[in-house]
Amino acid sequence: MSQRQVLQVFEQYQRARSQFAQAVADFAARPQSIDTLRSAGVVCLLRPLLLDVVPSIRQTAALALGRLADYDVELAEAVVKAGILPQLICSLPEENRYYKKAAAFVLRAIAKHSPQLAQAIVQSGALGMLVICLEDFDPGVKEGASWAFGYIARHNPELSQAVVDAGAVPLLVLCIQEPEIALKRIAASTLSDISKHSPELAQTVVAAGAIAYLAQMIPNPDAKLKRQVLSALSQIAKHSVDLAELVVEAEIFPVVLTCLKDSDEYVKKNGATLIREIAKHTPELSQLIVNSGGVAAVIDCIGSCRGTVRLPGIMTLGYVAAHSENLSMAVIVSKGIPPLCVCLIEEHEDHIKAAAAWALGQIGRHTAEHARHVAVANVLPTLLDIFVDTCSSEDLKVKAKKALKNILQKCTYLPALEPLLHEAPPSIMKYIIGQYSKDPQASPSKTVWILFFCLIQPDTVSFGICHNSF
């Protein structure tokens, strides 16, 4: 047998391995083929190919495993149970960029499903290898590693801390300074996932100098990048006054207000969320937002969008108004009440209505003047209808009742209360009675009607009010 014949056998074997790996990778990209591949034991068949002498076969096998693990949690668990993770990462520093990207894809596909699978990746020692990938010269390798870190960190504080302990944060901050937009997006998203869990984790991101670089990217024309940048800043600012002040000191105002007019709905939502997370902390931070024109911009945003995009803007108005009489009046002067009333009527999701009801209650709870501004917008009958509606969720009913209570306890403008007289249940009527009992100008007919109500109701609060007044 000639040397050529011997070599032909090896060449055929190599072609067969390559064809098998490529075919499986192609099939794994089609959901209808997954069950057949699973029943054929594809994971165990791909495992030895990760140690193949041919680089292209190794990377194709890794790609196939990534697609399989990405499909569902059972296949991801099968990859882990087959002992593939140590094999996958054992020679990662010496591999070419294509294999590194494929390996990072496998790790991310496994990590996304559950904290338990993400923990398995941590225990396999993969984080150290991913850090090496973050230092690679190829932007695609860095992107893959950043993505894997993000899927690990997002689950819980412990996994996020593991990412921090591996030394990923300073390298991620370097990644957001790279020229490639895709790498900037993923790195910013991962920093957001790390920051969201606790003030300590957010402080780690801040200590690496992330805020300044994130703030500089707010005006970037790429909508997907702006989404992630705004999200990361929101996750930092939400934890404490100090962290919120650090974000503000990066001079995000007034440039962040332009995001509220963006054509991308997620940019609008994330921009409003960032403003909300700053506004909630202190009157001083809310005043800064008012001074920069932020309240008017948020009101315009609420009026220009629908659904959950409105929610952070609605809550921003509530937080600003809650802090003080002056800030609440700033919301009123900026014409914030009408769009909140519209949200109560237009929106179908109860949690959005609940937020609008809460915000209106915060606006109207300060003084008689504040309550009158809310009442004349004819919001009280709407809140009452929501409260008595059996289809309303319990949370919505609680928020509507609380808002009614806040407004009615301050509202001395009786014409706005008249529509409620014949509809309000006793739990609301007692607040209306309280206002009529304070007014010497109340008509005799209303006085008699209210007295009759008090006498037939067992509510001791209502009876006490009437006893003292009449």
Side-chain angles (χ1 to χ4, degrees):
M1 185 177 290
S2 67
Q3 183 181 10
R4 180 179 179 133
Q5 288 175 312
V6 173
L7 292 175
Q8 280 181 339
V9 172
F10 283 92
E11 288 171 1
Q12 289 171 358
Y13 179 48
Q14 180 176 319
R15 279 197 299 272
R17 299 196 313 276
S18 179
Q19 289 170 356
F20 173 77
Q22 187 61 59
V24 170
D26 292 341
F27 287 135
R30 304 170 194 164
Q32 64 269 25
S33 305
I34 296 293
D35 288 336
T36 305
L37 292 171
R38 192 201 316 263
S39 60
V42 67
V43 171
C44 293
L45 293 173
L46 287 170
R47 178 182 175 181
L49 297 183
L50 291 173
L51 299 176
D52 201 276
V53 294
V54 181
S56 62
I57 294 176
R58 294 198 297 273
Q59 67 202 35
T60 306
L63 175 62
L65 283 167
R67 288 176 177 173
L68 290 167
D70 191 55
Y71 181 75
D72 69 16
V73 66
E74 289 183 8
L75 279 168
E77 289 172 347
V79 171
V80 173
K81 290 175 182 176
I84 285 173
L85 291 179
Q87 252 178 261
L88 186 74
I89 64 175
C90 65
S91 59
L92 197 59
E94 291 78 37
E95 292 286 355
N96 63 36
R97 57 180 176 163
Y98 302 106
Y99 181 87
K100 288 177 180 176
K101 284 191 275 190
F105 173 46
V106 176
L107 296 173
R108 133 171 99 101
I110 294 170
K112 80 171 189 177
H113 293 291
S114 71
Q116 292 75 22
L117 286 170
Q119 184 61 42
I121 290 173
V122 173
Q123 292 172 345
S124 73
L127 298 190
M129 297 299 102
L130 287 171
V131 166
I132 292 172
C133 290
L134 278 182
E135 296 174 316
D136 198 272
F137 71 92
D138 184 83
V141 174
K142 292 179 181 177
E143 184 183 334
S146 298
W147 214 337
F149 274 127
Y151 274 109
I152 294 166
R154 67 179 51 180
H155 289 294
N156 58 48
E158 292 73 26
L159 288 166
S160 190
Q161 187 63 53
V163 171
V164 170
D165 293 342
V169 171
L171 295 171
L172 289 166
V173 173
L174 289 175
C175 286
I176 62 174
Q177 301 172 57
E178 295 281 353
E180 290 78 16
I181 292 293
L183 178 55
K184 286 177 181 287
R185 290 177 194 157
I186 301 303
S189 174
T190 302
L191 290 171
S192 177
D193 287 326
I194 293 170
S195 301
K196 72 181 182 181
H197 297 291
S198 71
E200 293 75 20
L201 288 165
Q203 185 59 51
T204 302
V205 173
V206 171
I211 289 179
Y213 296 109
L214 290 168
Q216 289 170 9
M217 290 187 285
I218 293 175
N220 194 289
D222 184 79
K224 291 181 179 179
L225 176 59
K226 280 197 284 192
R227 292 179 194 174
Q228 303 304 334
V229 166
L230 293 167
S231 173
L233 290 170
S234 300
Q235 299 294 358
I236 293 169
K238 76 178 184 180
H239 293 291
S240 69
V241 176
D242 291 340
L243 288 170
E245 287 176 347
L246 287 173
V247 172
V248 169
E249 287 168 7
E251 299 181 354
I252 64 167
F253 290 103
V255 66
V256 71
L257 302 181
T258 62
C259 297
L260 302 182
K261 298 179 180 180
D262 200 276
S263 58
D264 185 276
E265 295 286 88
Y266 290 101
V267 171
K268 279 185 180 180
K269 184 177 180 179
N270 290 359
T273 300
L274 173 54
I275 297 169
R276 178 194 72 194
E277 297 299 349
I278 293 169
K280 73 180 185 182
H281 289 293
T282 65
E284 291 75 20
L285 286 171
S286 282
Q287 188 64 59
L288 184 148
I289 292 168
V290 171
N291 294 345
S292 66
V295 166
V298 167
I299 291 167
D300 289 342
C301 179
I302 293 172
S304 68
C305 54
R306 297 289 183 273
T308 56
V309 181
R310 278 175 160 170
L311 186 58
I314 292 169
M315 295 185 69
T316 299
L317 297 184
Y319 280 127
V320 172
H323 285 302
S324 71
E325 295 177 13
N326 290 338
L327 287 168
S328 182
M329 189 55 68
V331 175
I332 293 170
V333 170
S334 299
K335 300 186 171 144
I337 294 173
L340 291 174
C341 298
V342 168
C343 292
L344 281 178
I345 298 167
E346 282 187 356
E347 292 297 335
H348 302 292
E349 297 291 334
D350 278 4
H351 68 284
I352 301 175
K353 288 185 175 184
W358 169 78
L360 287 163
Q362 297 307 309
I363 294 170
R365 72 181 179 87
H366 294 285
T367 68
E369 185 181 1
H370 291 81
R372 175 168 178 158
H373 280 289
V374 177
V376 297
N378 200 34
V379 73
L380 296 179
T382 304
L383 286 170
L384 181 60
D385 289 342
I386 290 170
F387 174 60
V388 300
D389 189 348
T390 55
C391 296
S392 297
S393 68
E394 283 305 309
D395 180 63
L396 177 54
K397 288 182 179 181
V398 169
K399 295 291 196 305
K401 181 180 179 181
K402 182 66 173 175
L404 281 167
K405 176 182 174 182
N406 286 344
I407 298 163
L408 290 173
Q409 284 182 325
K410 295 292 182 180
C411 186
T412 57
Y413 182 63
L414 299 186
L417 307 186
E418 289 183 18
L420 309 184
L421 282 174
H422 298 282
E423 302 291 337
S427 59
I428 300 300
M429 182 62 76
K430 62 187 179 185
Y431 301 112
I432 302 172
I433 293 169
Q435 295 304 339
Y436 271 98
S437 69
K438 298 173 189 175
D439 184 17
Q441 304 299 320
S443 67
S445 61
K446 287 192 177 68
T447 301
V448 171
W449 189 91
I450 293 168
L451 180 58
F452 173 73
F453 172 84
C454 291
L455 292 173
I456 65 172
Q457 291 298 328
D459 187 301
T460 56
V461 175
S462 297
F463 186 83
I465 292 171
C466 291
H467 178 269
N468 293 333
S469 302
F470 305 120

